[in-house]
Amino acid sequence: SSQNLSEEFAEAARQLKKEAPRIQFGKIDVTHQHELRKEFNIQAFPTVKFFVNGSREDPIDCKGVRKASTFVTWVKRRTGPSTVLINSTDQAEAIIKADDLAVIGFFRELHNDSVEVFCETARDVPEMPFGMTASEEVCADYGIQRSSLVVFKKGKPVHNEVLEDGRQNKLDLTRLIKTFTLDLVTEYNIETSVKIFDVPVENHILLFTPTNSETFNEIYENYQSAAAEFRGKILFVLVDTDESRNGRIFEYFRVRDIDVPAVRILNLSSDARYKMPADEVTVHNLREFCQSYLRGQAKQHLSSEEIPQDWDKMPVKVLVGKNFNSIIF
């Protein structure tokens, strides 16, 4: 909520006042400041913007930050180095074990495009510590042979992304890394819904199924296998159809009890919905569906009733989604 964020924001201001007194925190109630709201194109609340070098032009958006400690990290990484330079394996281990998640960049040299993209990504992911090294000894100790970004979870490597010069972009890496703040498959509920929307992956796939059915374990394993393949590109969500509080999502996707298990893809920015053509939730069917969607070949699922048999009997024709285009256009 805005109130909660406001308190965390104030706490970050208190912490940084001691460490970095030149960084000023301010808040504006735009209900009374219409000109400012218009000038900075404020659409959603709360919005946090960072102004650099006394300029009103092009402030940097601070998105998805909710905790005081994360605000502090975000600001520090914008005003100073965004990653820690690692010279020894002991130093690397200390960073990896200090938090649940950590990201380490292993490089041959510290001046190339990949390093730049890595440092820019670190600025946008203040939720976890970032370190980088070009030490041959450290790379050898972790068995790393090519420039790589490695995500560690609870002290163990869970993902290794080879960094080819100029191949990756910051947004792709940011999406990928932020997905590790969620489980591989996230079950939808009141608590997780906020986290799901904080991860900047705009493609969501949803599996609607009762979690207590006999076939659930097999379906879930297939779903998890597919999730690992599309990590960072499509976010995998599970909706328990026996949970009455999930009714609104059912309505939104026009899924009925008789349809389950059902699989849908939602694109958050266009609000377009897609239905998996196959009925069985196998790894093969999920993979085909996700690949065709990412290639732009999946058919949009326009919720519609069946065409009534007597739709053209009367002078006023009966139109539903399925015959609307063909009759009108």
Side-chain angles (χ1 to χ4, degrees):
S1 72
S2 285
Q3 181 58 37
N4 193 8
L5 190 98
S6 192
E7 286 163 15
E8 294 288 332
F9 192 67
E11 177 54 37
R14 278 194 287 278
Q15 285 179 29
L16 277 169
K17 195 167 182 183
K18 298 177 201 131
E19 295 177 54
R22 289 183 59 221
I23 296 165
Q24 304 288 322
F25 279 64
K27 64 177 178 181
I28 297 167
D29 180 356
V30 290
T31 46
H32 306 298
Q33 303 285 341
H34 298 296
E35 291 303 312
L36 287 174
R37 182 177 181 173
K38 209 160 129 192
E39 180 184 350
F40 300 115
N41 190 23
I42 308 298
Q43 308 276 350
F45 303 101
T47 292
V48 179
K49 287 182 183 280
F50 186 53
F51 293 83
V52 185
N53 298 332
S55 165
R56 295 174 86 107
E57 304 296 314
D58 301 323
I60 303 159
D61 277 322
C62 176
K63 286 184 183 150
V65 176
R66 292 173 188 275
K67 287 206 189 110
S69 57
T70 323
F71 272 122
V72 170
T73 305
W74 190 92
V75 170
K76 281 182 175 173
R77 289 185 189 177
R78 291 273 161 197
T79 53
S82 59
T83 65
V84 177
L85 191 57
I86 294 169
N87 297 311
S88 69
T89 303
D90 284 350
Q91 206 185 347
E93 281 298 293
I95 291 173
I96 289 162
K97 295 203 166 122
D99 267 287
D100 251 13
L101 287 160
V103 182
I104 309 287
F106 296 89
F107 300 99
R108 306 239 147 168
E109 41 145 9
L110 288 181
H111 302 284
N112 61 29
D113 290 350
S114 296
V115 174
E116 206 169 303
V117 170
F118 181 79
C119 292
E120 280 179 18
T121 305
R123 280 191 199 109
D124 282 351
V125 190
E127 297 90 338
M128 52 192 92
F130 274 66
M132 65 178 185
T133 187
S135 150
E136 283 182 27
E137 183 194 335
V138 177
C139 290
D141 282 348
Y142 286 95
I144 305 288
Q145 283 165 16
R146 298 161 72 188
S147 286
S148 303
L149 173 158
V150 182
V151 180
F152 291 85
K153 195 163 190 169
K154 294 193 165 59
K156 293 189 171 59
V158 286
H159 185 83
N160 182 327
E161 186 78 11
V162 174
L163 297 174
E164 303 288 355
D165 239 10
R167 279 259 316 275
Q168 273 87 2
N169 70 39
K170 180 189 75 164
L171 190 58
D172 288 344
L173 288 178
T174 303
R175 283 180 180 141
L176 176 71
I177 295 163
K178 283 209 178 192
T179 60
F180 287 95
T181 60
L182 294 170
D183 295 330
L184 192 53
V185 170
T186 307
E187 184 170 346
Y188 183 91
N189 57 41
I190 301 298
E191 290 76 47
T192 60
S193 62
V194 176
K195 290 183 186 173
I196 289 168
F197 290 108
D198 272 351
V199 174
V201 177
E202 63 174 21
N203 306 313
H204 289 187
I205 187 168
L206 300 97
L207 166 63
F208 294 85
T209 185
T211 54
N212 61 6
S213 74
E214 288 171 18
T215 53
F216 174 72
N217 287 348
E218 187 191 338
I219 287 174
Y220 187 71
E221 268 177 38
N222 293 344
Y223 198 58
Q224 270 195 312
S225 300
E229 283 184 47
F230 295 97
R231 185 153 216 162
K233 295 185 181 73
I234 302 177
L235 205 62
F236 277 63
V237 178
L238 168 70
V239 181
D240 181 4
T241 56
D242 281 345
E243 171 54 71
S244 58
R245 284 176 297 189
N246 291 338
R248 276 173 58 196
I249 310 179
F250 261 75
E251 284 170 34
Y252 182 72
F253 285 95
R254 302 277 208 284
V255 172
R256 299 163 304 171
D257 285 343
I258 54 168
D259 296 332
V260 300
V263 179
R264 301 281 189 274
I265 284 178
L266 168 69
N267 179 291
L268 292 189
S269 55
S270 69
D271 205 36
R273 284 158 255 179
Y274 302 82
K275 179 182 180 180
M276 185 165 78
D279 284 334
E280 285 185 55
V281 185
T282 63
V283 179
H284 173 77
N285 289 344
L286 288 162
R287 188 185 290 130
E288 291 278 303
F289 182 37
C290 291
Q291 280 169 350
S292 75
Y293 169 75
L294 291 172
R295 285 196 300 260
Q297 293 167 335
K299 274 203 179 79
Q300 259 200 60
H301 178 53
L302 303 163
S303 303
S304 171
E305 302 156 45
E306 291 306 318
I307 302 168
Q309 285 187 317
D310 57 355
W311 70 271
D312 66 344
K313 286 250 167 60
M314 307 300 274
V316 176
K317 310 303 177 198
V318 179
L319 300 178
V320 293
K322 283 184 178 163
N323 70 349
F324 187 85
N325 264 352
S326 56
I327 306 303
I328 300 293
F329 302 115

